[in-house]
Amino acid sequence: MTTVDQAKATGRGKLRIDARLLIVFLFSCVGLFIFGKIASEVMEGDTMALDRHIIEALRNPANLAIPIGPPWLLTVMRDITALGGWTVRTLITLLVVGFLAVARYRAMALFVVLAIGGGEILNNVLKGLFDRPRPDIVPHLVDVHSTSFPSGHAMNAAIVYLTLGAMLARTQPRRAVRIYILSVAIALALVIGASRVYLGVHWPSDVLAGWAAGASWALLMSLVAQRLQRRHTLEGATQA
């Protein structure tokens, strides 16, 4: 390949990378718009009727303390929701950070800690800002103590699992492995958020807003990571 051909190939590669960065940025903007729209509707009370309908539909009409579905489903949902709790999130984050450090992705390990820690702080700020009460129309099936909007489990699960998934995927050269990692991360975020509505501790709009905000944060962190990797400040750049 001639020098001119190499230059053209390099230029096309940069255009593809820049296009991917733009797509990621646009998706993060869409997520932020969705969060803002839901937040506005919640503050005006426009989501309450649908929120109530969905939560009540997930309970036995004769006894709102009993969720729909077989008895084992409640146990499954409690186990799933624990995956979005502070203890499990922290443990999984530490395990992945440890893996990155041992694999000599030390800058990436530090970046993961800062990205996830920043997302946790953002969630606490948003909860304090909106200060929405928890649903009180059905008995809660797990203990809760904080405010409701946005859902901490939904938002933090999206932040933690999508960020970890994106960072781990960028250490893998095989496309199939990257797709699998990201698919698992997305599935975890979705089922954890859904479990909060099933257990009656969050309004559906809380969970939707949590997903939107958490995914937007994870996408923005992925965008920052890609920029740092292009500058060789962060290890593990792939064609992901």
Side-chain angles (χ1 to χ4, degrees):
M1 181 181 293
T2 66
T3 303
V4 174
D5 291 335
Q6 289 177 341
K8 289 181 177 179
T10 301
R12 288 193 295 268
K14 288 182 178 180
L15 285 175
R16 286 196 295 269
I17 292 172
D18 289 339
R20 287 195 291 267
L21 293 176
L22 179 60
I23 291 171
V24 171
F25 178 73
L26 290 176
F27 270 108
S28 66
C29 290
V30 170
L32 291 174
F33 173 79
I34 292 173
F35 174 82
K37 183 65 174 177
I38 295 172
S40 175
E41 297 292 323
V42 166
M43 294 297 290
E44 295 174 3
D46 294 338
T47 65
M48 187 57 67
L50 182 59
D51 279 339
R52 292 179 64 94
H53 177 75
I54 293 174
I55 288 183
E56 290 174 347
L58 294 173
R59 296 301 175 97
N60 185 332
N63 186 350
L64 293 179
I66 301 176
I68 61 173
W72 55 262
L73 184 57
L74 176 56
T75 301
V76 169
M77 286 297 182
R78 283 172 171 163
D79 291 342
I80 288 174
T81 209
L83 295 174
W86 184 87
T87 301
V88 177
R89 291 198 318 266
T90 302
L91 177 61
I92 291 176
T93 299
L94 291 176
L95 291 173
V96 173
V97 167
F99 164 77
L100 292 172
V102 171
R104 298 186 178 180
Y105 293 102
R106 294 184 177 89
M108 186 177 290
L110 177 59
F111 179 83
V112 166
V113 171
L114 295 176
I116 290 177
E120 295 267 357
I121 293 172
L122 176 62
N123 178 253
N124 289 331
V125 170
L126 291 174
K127 277 184 170 291
L129 179 64
F130 289 98
D131 196 27
R132 188 187 194 187
R134 297 272 181 171
D136 57 0
I137 59 174
V138 297
H140 298 166
L141 300 179
V142 290
D143 292 331
V144 289
H145 305 287
S146 62
T147 54
S148 194
F149 186 92
S151 165
H153 275 63
M155 181 173 173
N156 286 319
I159 289 171
V160 170
Y161 293 115
L162 295 183
T163 299
L164 294 180
M167 294 301 102
L168 286 175
R170 294 186 68 77
T171 68
Q172 301 300 314
R174 293 182 56 196
R175 180 181 178 85
V177 175
R178 297 197 300 267
I179 291 175
Y180 174 78
I181 291 173
L182 292 174
S183 298
V184 170
I186 293 171
L188 282 172
L190 291 177
V191 296
I192 289 169
S195 72
R196 305 304 285 174
V197 179
Y198 183 84
L199 295 170
V201 295
H202 271 298
W203 304 105
S205 54
D206 298 336
V207 172
L208 288 175
W211 281 334
S216 297
W217 180 266
L219 284 170
L220 288 172
M221 292 302 100
S222 177
L223 185 65
V224 172
Q226 290 180 59
R227 298 293 295 180
L228 292 175
Q229 286 175 331
R230 289 182 65 182
R231 297 177 181 177
H232 304 290
T233 304
L234 209 61
E235 318 94 339
T238 70
Q239 296 302 314

PDB file of all heavy atoms in Angstrom, residues 50-87:
ATOM      1  N   LEU A  50     -51.321   7.191  35.026  1.00  0.00           N
ATOM      2  CA  LEU A  50     -50.712   6.010  34.406  1.00  0.00           C
ATOM      3  C   LEU A  50     -49.835   5.256  35.393  1.00  0.00           C
ATOM      4  O   LEU A  50     -49.839   4.018  35.419  1.00  0.00           O
ATOM      5  CB  LEU A  50     -49.888   6.434  33.182  1.00  0.00           C
ATOM      6  CG  LEU A  50     -49.221   5.294  32.404  1.00  0.00           C
ATOM      7  CD1 LEU A  50     -50.269   4.298  31.897  1.00  0.00           C
ATOM      8  CD2 LEU A  50     -48.404   5.852  31.243  1.00  0.00           C
ATOM      9  N   ASP A  51     -49.103   5.985  36.224  1.00  0.00           N
ATOM     10  CA  ASP A  51     -48.274   5.348  37.252  1.00  0.00           C
ATOM     11  C   ASP A  51     -49.127   4.467  38.172  1.00  0.00           C
ATOM     12  O   ASP A  51     -48.778   3.312  38.456  1.00  0.00           O
ATOM     13  CB  ASP A  51     -47.562   6.416  38.100  1.00  0.00           C
ATOM     14  CG  ASP A  51     -46.315   6.968  37.421  1.00  0.00           C
ATOM     15  OD1 ASP A  51     -45.775   6.285  36.534  1.00  0.00           O
ATOM     16  OD2 ASP A  51     -45.897   8.077  37.781  1.00  0.00           O
ATOM     17  N   ARG A  52     -50.236   5.020  38.638  1.00  0.00           N
ATOM     18  CA  ARG A  52     -51.118   4.280  39.535  1.00  0.00           C
ATOM     19  C   ARG A  52     -51.694   3.053  38.840  1.00  0.00           C
ATOM     20  O   ARG A  52     -51.765   1.965  39.424  1.00  0.00           O
ATOM     21  CB  ARG A  52     -52.256   5.178  40.024  1.00  0.00           C
ATOM     22  CG  ARG A  52     -51.823   6.304  40.951  1.00  0.00           C
ATOM     23  CD  ARG A  52     -53.028   7.152  41.355  1.00  0.00           C
ATOM     24  NE  ARG A  52     -53.983   6.374  42.121  1.00  0.00           N
ATOM     25  CZ  ARG A  52     -53.992   6.323  43.454  1.00  0.00           C
ATOM     26  NH1 ARG A  52     -53.108   7.002  44.155  1.00  0.00           N
ATOM     27  NH2 ARG A  52     -54.906   5.604  44.084  1.00  0.00           N
ATOM     28  N   HIS A  53     -52.111   3.220  37.595  1.00  0.00           N
ATOM     29  CA  HIS A  53     -52.718   2.118  36.859  1.00  0.00           C
ATOM     30  C   HIS A  53     -51.742   0.956  36.711  1.00  0.00           C
ATOM     31  O   HIS A  53     -52.127  -0.205  36.902  1.00  0.00           O
ATOM     32  CB  HIS A  53     -53.175   2.608  35.480  1.00  0.00           C
ATOM     33  CG  HIS A  53     -53.739   1.524  34.627  1.00  0.00           C
ATOM     34  ND1 HIS A  53     -54.997   0.976  34.833  1.00  0.00           N
ATOM     35  CD2 HIS A  53     -53.215   0.850  33.554  1.00  0.00           C
ATOM     36  CE1 HIS A  53     -55.212   0.023  33.941  1.00  0.00           C
ATOM     37  NE2 HIS A  53     -54.152  -0.074  33.149  1.00  0.00           N
ATOM     38  N   ILE A  54     -50.496   1.243  36.382  1.00  0.00           N
ATOM     39  CA  ILE A  54     -49.507   0.176  36.185  1.00  0.00           C
ATOM     40  C   ILE A  54     -49.205  -0.541  37.485  1.00  0.00           C
ATOM     41  O   ILE A  54     -49.165  -1.784  37.540  1.00  0.00           O
ATOM     42  CB  ILE A  54     -48.217   0.756  35.575  1.00  0.00           C
ATOM     43  CG1 ILE A  54     -48.483   1.254  34.150  1.00  0.00           C
ATOM     44  CG2 ILE A  54     -47.110  -0.296  35.567  1.00  0.00           C
ATOM     45  CD1 ILE A  54     -47.309   1.968  33.527  1.00  0.00           C
ATOM     46  N   ILE A  55     -48.997   0.209  38.560  1.00  0.00           N
ATOM     47  CA  ILE A  55     -48.684  -0.425  39.848  1.00  0.00           C
ATOM     48  C   ILE A  55     -49.847  -1.285  40.327  1.00  0.00           C
ATOM     49  O   ILE A  55     -49.655  -2.414  40.793  1.00  0.00           O
ATOM     50  CB  ILE A  55     -48.325   0.646  40.901  1.00  0.00           C
ATOM     51  CG1 ILE A  55     -46.950   1.241  40.576  1.00  0.00           C
ATOM     52  CG2 ILE A  55     -48.319   0.042  42.302  1.00  0.00           C
ATOM     53  CD1 ILE A  55     -46.478   2.263  41.588  1.00  0.00           C
ATOM     54  N   GLU A  56     -51.068  -0.768  40.220  1.00  0.00           N
ATOM     55  CA  GLU A  56     -52.231  -1.535  40.659  1.00  0.00           C
ATOM     56  C   GLU A  56     -52.446  -2.772  39.786  1.00  0.00           C
ATOM     57  O   GLU A  56     -52.915  -3.812  40.275  1.00  0.00           O
ATOM     58  CB  GLU A  56     -53.478  -0.652  40.647  1.00  0.00           C
ATOM     59  CG  GLU A  56     -53.454   0.417  41.733  1.00  0.00           C
ATOM     60  CD  GLU A  56     -54.618   1.386  41.617  1.00  0.00           C
ATOM     61  OE1 GLU A  56     -55.294   1.373  40.560  1.00  0.00           O
ATOM     62  OE2 GLU A  56     -54.840   2.172  42.567  1.00  0.00           O
ATOM     63  N   ALA A  57     -52.085  -2.688  38.503  1.00  0.00           N
ATOM     64  CA  ALA A  57     -52.237  -3.832  37.597  1.00  0.00           C
ATOM     65  C   ALA A  57     -51.284  -4.970  37.959  1.00  0.00           C
ATOM     66  O   ALA A  57     -51.525  -6.124  37.583  1.00  0.00           O
ATOM     67  CB  ALA A  57     -52.002  -3.399  36.155  1.00  0.00           C
ATOM     68  N   LEU A  58     -50.238  -4.654  38.699  1.00  0.00           N
ATOM     69  CA  LEU A  58     -49.257  -5.668  39.097  1.00  0.00           C
ATOM     70  C   LEU A  58     -49.602  -6.313  40.443  1.00  0.00           C
ATOM     71  O   LEU A  58     -48.812  -7.106  40.964  1.00  0.00           O
ATOM     72  CB  LEU A  58     -47.857  -5.038  39.176  1.00  0.00           C
ATOM     73  CG  LEU A  58     -47.276  -4.565  37.841  1.00  0.00           C
ATOM     74  CD1 LEU A  58     -45.963  -3.811  38.071  1.00  0.00           C
ATOM     75  CD2 LEU A  58     -47.052  -5.741  36.894  1.00  0.00           C
ATOM     76  N   ARG A  59     -50.772  -5.975  40.996  1.00  0.00           N
ATOM     77  CA  ARG A  59     -51.201  -6.538  42.275  1.00  0.00           C
ATOM     78  C   ARG A  59     -52.534  -7.278  42.135  1.00  0.00           C
ATOM     79  O   ARG A  59     -53.312  -7.011  41.215  1.00  0.00           O
ATOM     80  CB  ARG A  59     -51.341  -5.436  43.333  1.00  0.00           C
ATOM     81  CG  ARG A  59     -50.027  -4.743  43.688  1.00  0.00           C
ATOM     82  CD  ARG A  59     -48.990  -5.715  44.226  1.00  0.00           C
ATOM     83  NE  ARG A  59     -47.704  -5.092  44.454  1.00  0.00           N
ATOM     84  CZ  ARG A  59     -47.302  -4.639  45.645  1.00  0.00           C
ATOM     85  NH1 ARG A  59     -48.094  -4.755  46.694  1.00  0.00           N
ATOM     86  NH2 ARG A  59     -46.106  -4.094  45.767  1.00  0.00           N
ATOM     87  N   ASN A  60     -52.761  -8.188  43.048  1.00  0.00           N
ATOM     88  CA  ASN A  60     -54.031  -8.909  43.116  1.00  0.00           C
ATOM     89  C   ASN A  60     -55.123  -7.923  43.526  1.00  0.00           C
ATOM     90  O   ASN A  60     -55.042  -7.315  44.598  1.00  0.00           O
ATOM     91  CB  ASN A  60     -53.917 -10.041  44.139  1.00  0.00           C
ATOM     92  CG  ASN A  60     -55.143 -10.915  44.184  1.00  0.00           C
ATOM     93  OD1 ASN A  60     -56.249 -10.477  43.886  1.00  0.00           O
ATOM     94  ND2 ASN A  60     -54.965 -12.171  44.554  1.00  0.00           N
ATOM     95  N   PRO A  61     -56.174  -7.729  42.718  1.00  0.00           N
ATOM     96  CA  PRO A  61     -57.213  -6.748  43.064  1.00  0.00           C
ATOM     97  C   PRO A  61     -57.882  -7.021  44.403  1.00  0.00           C
ATOM     98  O   PRO A  61     -58.326  -6.090  45.087  1.00  0.00           O
ATOM     99  CB  PRO A  61     -58.217  -6.886  41.911  1.00  0.00           C
ATOM    100  CG  PRO A  61     -57.443  -7.488  40.786  1.00  0.00           C
ATOM    101  CD  PRO A  61     -56.431  -8.382  41.429  1.00  0.00           C
ATOM    102  N   ALA A  62     -57.949  -8.289  44.795  1.00  0.00           N
ATOM    103  CA  ALA A  62     -58.585  -8.641  46.066  1.00  0.00           C
ATOM    104  C   ALA A  62     -57.705  -8.340  47.262  1.00  0.00           C
ATOM    105  O   ALA A  62     -58.196  -8.181  48.386  1.00  0.00           O
ATOM    106  CB  ALA A  62     -58.967 -10.127  46.061  1.00  0.00           C
ATOM    107  N   ASN A  63     -56.376  -8.267  47.037  1.00  0.00           N
ATOM    108  CA  ASN A  63     -55.436  -8.000  48.117  1.00  0.00           C
ATOM    109  C   ASN A  63     -54.199  -7.344  47.514  1.00  0.00           C
ATOM    110  O   ASN A  63     -53.354  -8.014  46.926  1.00  0.00           O
ATOM    111  CB  ASN A  63     -55.046  -9.289  48.842  1.00  0.00           C
ATOM    112  CG  ASN A  63     -54.176  -9.022  50.060  1.00  0.00           C
ATOM    113  OD1 ASN A  63     -53.697  -7.908  50.270  1.00  0.00           O
ATOM    114  ND2 ASN A  63     -53.963 -10.054  50.862  1.00  0.00           N
ATOM    115  N   LEU A  64     -54.098  -6.028  47.667  1.00  0.00           N
ATOM    116  CA  LEU A  64     -53.008  -5.282  47.035  1.00  0.00           C
ATOM    117  C   LEU A  64     -51.640  -5.599  47.630  1.00  0.00           C
ATOM    118  O   LEU A  64     -50.620  -5.158  47.088  1.00  0.00           O
ATOM    119  CB  LEU A  64     -53.280  -3.780  47.139  1.00  0.00           C
ATOM    120  CG  LEU A  64     -54.485  -3.263  46.344  1.00  0.00           C
ATOM    121  CD1 LEU A  64     -54.652  -1.771  46.543  1.00  0.00           C
ATOM    122  CD2 LEU A  64     -54.329  -3.588  44.861  1.00  0.00           C
ATOM    123  N   ALA A  65     -51.592  -6.355  48.708  1.00  0.00           N
ATOM    124  CA  ALA A  65     -50.309  -6.759  49.273  1.00  0.00           C
ATOM    125  C   ALA A  65     -49.706  -7.941  48.529  1.00  0.00           C
ATOM    126  O   ALA A  65     -48.540  -8.284  48.742  1.00  0.00           O
ATOM    127  CB  ALA A  65     -50.467  -7.112  50.750  1.00  0.00           C
ATOM    128  N   ILE A  66     -50.496  -8.563  47.641  1.00  0.00           N
ATOM    129  CA  ILE A  66     -50.044  -9.753  46.915  1.00  0.00           C
ATOM    130  C   ILE A  66     -49.794  -9.389  45.458  1.00  0.00           C
ATOM    131  O   ILE A  66     -50.718  -8.952  44.758  1.00  0.00           O
ATOM    132  CB  ILE A  66     -51.089 -10.881  46.998  1.00  0.00           C
ATOM    133  CG1 ILE A  66     -51.363 -11.259  48.455  1.00  0.00           C
ATOM    134  CG2 ILE A  66     -50.622 -12.095  46.214  1.00  0.00           C
ATOM    135  CD1 ILE A  66     -52.454 -12.285  48.627  1.00  0.00           C
ATOM    136  N   PRO A  67     -48.569  -9.549  44.956  1.00  0.00           N
ATOM    137  CA  PRO A  67     -48.293  -9.247  43.552  1.00  0.00           C
ATOM    138  C   PRO A  67     -48.834 -10.339  42.639  1.00  0.00           C
ATOM    139  O   PRO A  67     -49.073 -11.470  43.075  1.00  0.00           O
ATOM    140  CB  PRO A  67     -46.760  -9.192  43.502  1.00  0.00           C
ATOM    141  CG  PRO A  67     -46.326 -10.130  44.582  1.00  0.00           C
ATOM    142  CD  PRO A  67     -47.357  -9.994  45.680  1.00  0.00           C
ATOM    143  N   ILE A  68     -49.031 -10.007  41.388  1.00  0.00           N
ATOM    144  CA  ILE A  68     -49.494 -11.004  40.426  1.00  0.00           C
ATOM    145  C   ILE A  68     -48.361 -11.992  40.126  1.00  0.00           C
ATOM    146  O   ILE A  68     -47.192 -11.715  40.374  1.00  0.00           O
ATOM    147  CB  ILE A  68     -49.959 -10.345  39.111  1.00  0.00           C
ATOM    148  CG1 ILE A  68     -48.800  -9.578  38.449  1.00  0.00           C
ATOM    149  CG2 ILE A  68     -51.137  -9.435  39.355  1.00  0.00           C
ATOM    150  CD1 ILE A  68     -49.112  -9.043  37.068  1.00  0.00           C
ATOM    151  N   GLY A  69     -48.754 -13.154  39.615  1.00  0.00           N
ATOM    152  CA  GLY A  69     -47.755 -14.149  39.253  1.00  0.00           C
ATOM    153  C   GLY A  69     -47.618 -15.227  40.314  1.00  0.00           C
ATOM    154  O   GLY A  69     -48.177 -15.118  41.417  1.00  0.00           O
ATOM    155  N   PRO A  70     -46.862 -16.278  40.010  1.00  0.00           N
ATOM    156  CA  PRO A  70     -46.649 -17.369  40.966  1.00  0.00           C
ATOM    157  C   PRO A  70     -45.833 -16.893  42.168  1.00  0.00           C
ATOM    158  O   PRO A  70     -45.106 -15.888  42.075  1.00  0.00           O
ATOM    159  CB  PRO A  70     -45.866 -18.408  40.143  1.00  0.00           C
ATOM    160  CG  PRO A  70     -45.223 -17.610  39.054  1.00  0.00           C
ATOM    161  CD  PRO A  70     -46.165 -16.504  38.726  1.00  0.00           C
ATOM    162  N   PRO A  71     -45.943 -17.595  43.298  1.00  0.00           N
ATOM    163  CA  PRO A  71     -45.236 -17.159  44.515  1.00  0.00           C
ATOM    164  C   PRO A  71     -43.727 -17.015  44.337  1.00  0.00           C
ATOM    165  O   PRO A  71     -43.115 -16.127  44.936  1.00  0.00           O
ATOM    166  CB  PRO A  71     -45.576 -18.266  45.523  1.00  0.00           C
ATOM    167  CG  PRO A  71     -46.880 -18.826  45.037  1.00  0.00           C
ATOM    168  CD  PRO A  71     -46.812 -18.750  43.548  1.00  0.00           C
ATOM    169  N   TRP A  72     -43.124 -17.888  43.510  1.00  0.00           N
ATOM    170  CA  TRP A  72     -41.672 -17.821  43.347  1.00  0.00           C
ATOM    171  C   TRP A  72     -41.216 -16.551  42.637  1.00  0.00           C
ATOM    172  O   TRP A  72     -40.045 -16.145  42.750  1.00  0.00           O
ATOM    173  CB  TRP A  72     -41.147 -19.041  42.586  1.00  0.00           C
ATOM    174  CG  TRP A  72     -41.779 -19.291  41.246  1.00  0.00           C
ATOM    175  CD1 TRP A  72     -42.778 -20.148  40.948  1.00  0.00           C
ATOM    176  CD2 TRP A  72     -41.434 -18.639  40.003  1.00  0.00           C
ATOM    177  NE1 TRP A  72     -43.100 -20.100  39.608  1.00  0.00           N
ATOM    178  CE2 TRP A  72     -42.283 -19.180  39.002  1.00  0.00           C
ATOM    179  CE3 TRP A  72     -40.497 -17.680  39.630  1.00  0.00           C
ATOM    180  CZ2 TRP A  72     -42.224 -18.775  37.667  1.00  0.00           C
ATOM    181  CZ3 TRP A  72     -40.441 -17.260  38.303  1.00  0.00           C
ATOM    182  CH2 TRP A  72     -41.289 -17.814  37.346  1.00  0.00           C
ATOM    183  N   LEU A  73     -42.125 -15.896  41.897  1.00  0.00           N
ATOM    184  CA  LEU A  73     -41.738 -14.688  41.160  1.00  0.00           C
ATOM    185  C   LEU A  73     -41.341 -13.561  42.110  1.00  0.00           C
ATOM    186  O   LEU A  73     -40.432 -12.780  41.807  1.00  0.00           O
ATOM    187  CB  LEU A  73     -42.885 -14.249  40.253  1.00  0.00           C
ATOM    188  CG  LEU A  73     -42.596 -13.047  39.350  1.00  0.00           C
ATOM    189  CD1 LEU A  73     -41.397 -13.309  38.461  1.00  0.00           C
ATOM    190  CD2 LEU A  73     -43.837 -12.712  38.506  1.00  0.00           C
ATOM    191  N   LEU A  74     -42.001 -13.484  43.259  1.00  0.00           N
ATOM    192  CA  LEU A  74     -41.650 -12.455  44.238  1.00  0.00           C
ATOM    193  C   LEU A  74     -40.219 -12.653  44.732  1.00  0.00           C
ATOM    194  O   LEU A  74     -39.454 -11.689  44.848  1.00  0.00           O
ATOM    195  CB  LEU A  74     -42.627 -12.496  45.414  1.00  0.00           C
ATOM    196  CG  LEU A  74     -42.325 -11.533  46.574  1.00  0.00           C
ATOM    197  CD1 LEU A  74     -42.237 -10.094  46.089  1.00  0.00           C
ATOM    198  CD2 LEU A  74     -43.374 -11.683  47.670  1.00  0.00           C
ATOM    199  N   THR A  75     -39.847 -13.892  45.007  1.00  0.00           N
ATOM    200  CA  THR A  75     -38.478 -14.181  45.438  1.00  0.00           C
ATOM    201  C   THR A  75     -37.475 -13.803  44.358  1.00  0.00           C
ATOM    202  O   THR A  75     -36.428 -13.215  44.630  1.00  0.00           O
ATOM    203  CB  THR A  75     -38.326 -15.675  45.784  1.00  0.00           C
ATOM    204  OG1 THR A  75     -39.242 -16.012  46.825  1.00  0.00           O
ATOM    205  CG2 THR A  75     -36.905 -15.984  46.233  1.00  0.00           C
ATOM    206  N   VAL A  76     -37.806 -14.134  43.108  1.00  0.00           N
ATOM    207  CA  VAL A  76     -36.924 -13.801  41.987  1.00  0.00           C
ATOM    208  C   VAL A  76     -36.752 -12.288  41.878  1.00  0.00           C
ATOM    209  O   VAL A  76     -35.631 -11.776  41.701  1.00  0.00           O
ATOM    210  CB  VAL A  76     -37.488 -14.381  40.673  1.00  0.00           C
ATOM    211  CG1 VAL A  76     -36.736 -13.815  39.471  1.00  0.00           C
ATOM    212  CG2 VAL A  76     -37.407 -15.897  40.679  1.00  0.00           C
ATOM    213  N   MET A  77     -37.846 -11.545  41.998  1.00  0.00           N
ATOM    214  CA  MET A  77     -37.769 -10.092  41.867  1.00  0.00           C
ATOM    215  C   MET A  77     -36.955  -9.466  42.999  1.00  0.00           C
ATOM    216  O   MET A  77     -36.218  -8.495  42.789  1.00  0.00           O
ATOM    217  CB  MET A  77     -39.177  -9.495  41.836  1.00  0.00           C
ATOM    218  CG  MET A  77     -39.905  -9.722  40.520  1.00  0.00           C
ATOM    219  SD  MET A  77     -39.032  -8.895  39.157  1.00  0.00           S
ATOM    220  CE  MET A  77     -40.115  -9.265  37.780  1.00  0.00           C
ATOM    221  N   ARG A  78     -37.086 -10.016  44.198  1.00  0.00           N
ATOM    222  CA  ARG A  78     -36.277  -9.509  45.311  1.00  0.00           C
ATOM    223  C   ARG A  78     -34.789  -9.775  45.074  1.00  0.00           C
ATOM    224  O   ARG A  78     -33.934  -8.938  45.389  1.00  0.00           O
ATOM    225  CB  ARG A  78     -36.737 -10.145  46.619  1.00  0.00           C
ATOM    226  CG  ARG A  78     -38.031  -9.544  47.170  1.00  0.00           C
ATOM    227  CD  ARG A  78     -38.540 -10.317  48.353  1.00  0.00           C
ATOM    228  NE  ARG A  78     -39.654  -9.627  49.001  1.00  0.00           N
ATOM    229  CZ  ARG A  78     -40.497 -10.212  49.849  1.00  0.00           C
ATOM    230  NH1 ARG A  78     -40.347 -11.503  50.152  1.00  0.00           N
ATOM    231  NH2 ARG A  78     -41.479  -9.519  50.395  1.00  0.00           N
ATOM    232  N   ASP A  79     -34.480 -10.945  44.532  1.00  0.00           N
ATOM    233  CA  ASP A  79     -33.083 -11.262  44.226  1.00  0.00           C
ATOM    234  C   ASP A  79     -32.546 -10.350  43.125  1.00  0.00           C
ATOM    235  O   ASP A  79     -31.402  -9.869  43.196  1.00  0.00           O
ATOM    236  CB  ASP A  79     -32.942 -12.723  43.804  1.00  0.00           C
ATOM    237  CG  ASP A  79     -33.176 -13.695  44.948  1.00  0.00           C
ATOM    238  OD1 ASP A  79     -33.100 -13.263  46.120  1.00  0.00           O
ATOM    239  OD2 ASP A  79     -33.446 -14.884  44.686  1.00  0.00           O
ATOM    240  N   ILE A  80     -33.373 -10.122  42.108  1.00  0.00           N
ATOM    241  CA  ILE A  80     -32.949  -9.260  40.999  1.00  0.00           C
ATOM    242  C   ILE A  80     -32.734  -7.830  41.475  1.00  0.00           C
ATOM    243  O   ILE A  80     -31.745  -7.180  41.118  1.00  0.00           O
ATOM    244  CB  ILE A  80     -33.985  -9.296  39.861  1.00  0.00           C
ATOM    245  CG1 ILE A  80     -33.923 -10.644  39.141  1.00  0.00           C
ATOM    246  CG2 ILE A  80     -33.739  -8.161  38.865  1.00  0.00           C
ATOM    247  CD1 ILE A  80     -34.994 -10.827  38.094  1.00  0.00           C
ATOM    248  N   THR A  81     -33.644  -7.335  42.298  1.00  0.00           N
ATOM    249  CA  THR A  81     -33.529  -5.941  42.746  1.00  0.00           C
ATOM    250  C   THR A  81     -32.282  -5.743  43.594  1.00  0.00           C
ATOM    251  O   THR A  81     -31.714  -4.641  43.624  1.00  0.00           O
ATOM    252  CB  THR A  81     -34.803  -5.521  43.504  1.00  0.00           C
ATOM    253  OG1 THR A  81     -35.001  -4.108  43.350  1.00  0.00           O
ATOM    254  CG2 THR A  81     -34.728  -5.836  44.996  1.00  0.00           C
ATOM    255  N   ALA A  82     -31.829  -6.808  44.266  1.00  0.00           N
ATOM    256  CA  ALA A  82     -30.603  -6.710  45.075  1.00  0.00           C
ATOM    257  C   ALA A  82     -29.383  -6.427  44.200  1.00  0.00           C
ATOM    258  O   ALA A  82     -28.404  -5.836  44.670  1.00  0.00           O
ATOM    259  CB  ALA A  82     -30.389  -7.995  45.870  1.00  0.00           C
ATOM    260  N   LEU A  83     -29.442  -6.818  42.935  1.00  0.00           N
ATOM    261  CA  LEU A  83     -28.324  -6.558  42.024  1.00  0.00           C
ATOM    262  C   LEU A  83     -28.140  -5.064  41.778  1.00  0.00           C
ATOM    263  O   LEU A  83     -27.065  -4.625  41.347  1.00  0.00           O
ATOM    264  CB  LEU A  83     -28.549  -7.267  40.685  1.00  0.00           C
ATOM    265  CG  LEU A  83     -28.576  -8.794  40.726  1.00  0.00           C
ATOM    266  CD1 LEU A  83     -28.956  -9.360  39.351  1.00  0.00           C
ATOM    267  CD2 LEU A  83     -27.218  -9.341  41.159  1.00  0.00           C
ATOM    268  N   GLY A  84     -29.191  -4.277  42.028  1.00  0.00           N
ATOM    269  CA  GLY A  84     -29.090  -2.835  41.861  1.00  0.00           C
ATOM    270  C   GLY A  84     -28.850  -2.102  43.162  1.00  0.00           C
ATOM    271  O   GLY A  84     -28.763  -0.871  43.169  1.00  0.00           O
ATOM    272  N   GLY A  85     -28.713  -2.857  44.264  1.00  0.00           N
ATOM    273  CA  GLY A  85     -28.462  -2.244  45.559  1.00  0.00           C
ATOM    274  C   GLY A  85     -27.016  -1.788  45.699  1.00  0.00           C
ATOM    275  O   GLY A  85     -26.122  -2.230  44.974  1.00  0.00           O
ATOM    276  N   TRP A  86     -26.780  -0.933  46.685  1.00  0.00           N
ATOM    277  CA  TRP A  86     -25.455  -0.338  46.867  1.00  0.00           C
ATOM    278  C   TRP A  86     -24.390  -1.395  47.114  1.00  0.00           C
ATOM    279  O   TRP A  86     -23.288  -1.316  46.542  1.00  0.00           O
ATOM    280  CB  TRP A  86     -25.492   0.641  48.045  1.00  0.00           C
ATOM    281  CG  TRP A  86     -24.187   1.373  48.232  1.00  0.00           C
ATOM    282  CD1 TRP A  86     -23.810   2.532  47.627  1.00  0.00           C
ATOM    283  CD2 TRP A  86     -23.096   0.980  49.059  1.00  0.00           C
ATOM    284  NE1 TRP A  86     -22.549   2.890  48.017  1.00  0.00           N
ATOM    285  CE2 TRP A  86     -22.083   1.961  48.907  1.00  0.00           C
ATOM    286  CE3 TRP A  86     -22.866  -0.090  49.922  1.00  0.00           C
ATOM    287  CZ2 TRP A  86     -20.861   1.891  49.580  1.00  0.00           C
ATOM    288  CZ3 TRP A  86     -21.651  -0.164  50.594  1.00  0.00           C
ATOM    289  CH2 TRP A  86     -20.663   0.809  50.429  1.00  0.00           C
ATOM    290  N   THR A  87     -24.702  -2.398  47.931  1.00  0.00           N
ATOM    291  CA  THR A  87     -23.704  -3.403  48.284  1.00  0.00           C
ATOM    292  C   THR A  87     -23.246  -4.194  47.071  1.00  0.00           C
ATOM    293  O   THR A  87     -22.045  -4.346  46.816  1.00  0.00           O
ATOM    294  CB  THR A  87     -24.266  -4.373  49.345  1.00  0.00           C
ATOM    295  OG1 THR A  87     -24.649  -3.632  50.510  1.00  0.00           O
ATOM    296  CG2 THR A  87     -23.217  -5.409  49.734  1.00  0.00           C
TER     297      THR A  87
END
